[in-house]
Amino acid sequence: DGRYIIVVLVFIQNSKGEFLIQKRSEIKNGKYATTGGHPKSGESSIQGIITEVKEEIGIDLRPEDIELYYGGRSDSERVFWDDYYAKIDVPDINKLQLQEEEVESVHWFSADEINELRKQDKFFMNHYEEFEVLLDWLENRELYEKD
């Protein structure tokens, strides 16, 4: 009672503007989502997302590759969360080492394709909500950088 969990996730975008999305294994609901999880005991939020990305999809992210774009807390759900963004190109996603218990496959999708997956109820809703926050952040960040 009174305990909270920490949830971390990352949206990885390539130079074409596509996002690296995973199809979760059937035991994890089989929907499309971004990479995320829970930091292990003693890990910081950023260490936790680096670990999750390595374990689930076999990519080595460095702290300087990642940018925190949103964080929050829900007392009703007893959760803290941190959402990260990384802009990197992955040469060949077909060669990634996927954690079979968690991830069935990975794909590059445009924002429109992700929205279509959501409309078909094929995208994990919690992650889609965070994706909408990301898109808003990216749009506003670009506007800010132009000034």
Side-chain angles (χ1 to χ4, degrees), residues 9 69-70 81 83 126-134:
L9 59 83
Y69 73 88
Y70 187 59
W81 70 88
D83 297 348
N126 289 7
H127 287 201
Y128 185 79
E129 291 167 353
E130 305 307 300
F131 182 64
E132 288 182 312
V133 174
L134 172 68

Side-chain angles (χ1 to χ4, degrees), residues 1-93:
D1 194 32
R3 292 183 180 207
Y4 283 68
I5 61 168
I6 300 172
V7 176
V8 292
L9 59 83
V10 64
F11 283 95
I12 297 172
Q13 186 179 38
N14 66 19
S15 57
K16 296 178 187 173
E18 301 164 319
F19 295 90
L20 186 61
I21 300 299
Q22 62 188 46
K23 184 165 190 330
R24 296 159 60 124
S25 67
E26 285 303 317
I27 60 171
K28 289 285 190 176
N29 81 12
K31 293 192 176 198
Y32 290 93
T34 195
T35 305
H38 308 280
K40 293 174 178 50
S41 180
E43 282 185 326
S44 68
S45 169
I46 198 161
Q47 290 167 328
I49 196 58
I50 289 169
T51 299
E52 289 295 329
V53 169
K54 178 64 175 173
E55 288 177 353
E56 289 186 16
I57 59 175
I59 295 174
D60 289 305
L61 287 179
R62 301 168 305 167
E64 57 268 23
D65 296 329
I66 307 167
E67 196 170 347
L68 178 70
Y69 73 88
Y70 187 59
R73 162 183 159 173
S74 170
D75 292 326
S76 63
E77 296 179 26
R78 293 181 146 21
V79 64
F80 289 97
W81 70 88
D82 282 333
D83 297 348
Y84 292 95
Y85 169 75
K87 187 143 190 176
I88 60 168
D89 286 311
V90 179
D92 186 354
I93 62 172

Side-chain angles (χ1 to χ4, degrees), residues 89-106:
D89 286 311
V90 179
D92 186 354
I93 62 172
N94 296 314
K95 292 184 179 178
L96 294 177
Q97 296 288 347
L98 306 181
Q99 186 180 28
E100 291 178 20
E101 312 84 60
E102 302 260 345
V103 182
E104 183 179 305
S105 59
V106 291

